[in-house]
Amino acid sequence: MSTISSRPRPLRTIASVVGGLTALVSGLVGSGLLTTDQGSAITGVINAVVVLLGTLGFVLTAERKVTPLADPRDSAGRALTPAEREGDTW
């Protein structure tokens, strides 16, 4: 059995990277190497990239788990049809 520490933790990794980049930008603004407006713009770009990547990941993950309403098929490619039940008056 694997230990808990060897388990992948993508959310922690992304949060650490974003936090590190944001802290770096804040440090550069504080030291005077960047203006406040430049720091805000860079932070906005970082946030936008994270949101876009998160949305893309969500879509790619969820799309595989959804059955389309038009021409639904099972994993073998057979058409899905409603099951016949006793008393149905279709």
Side-chain angles (χ1 to χ4, degrees), residues 13-90:
T13 303
I14 294 298
S16 298
V17 169
V18 171
L21 289 174
T22 305
L24 175 66
V25 170
S26 296
L28 293 174
V29 170
S31 67
L33 294 174
L34 294 176
T35 65
T36 305
D37 290 338
Q38 290 171 330
S40 295
I42 293 171
T43 302
V45 168
I46 292 169
N47 289 334
V49 168
V50 168
V51 168
L52 288 174
L53 291 176
T55 302
L56 178 65
F58 175 76
V59 168
L60 292 176
T61 302
E63 189 174 37
R64 287 181 248 154
K65 299 180 183 198
V66 175
T67 301
L69 294 178
D71 194 28
R73 301 196 172 268
D74 66 5
S75 61
R78 296 180 299 250
L80 298 177
T81 57
E84 302 252 345
R85 295 181 295 190
E86 196 173 315
D88 282 344
T89 57
W90 298 56

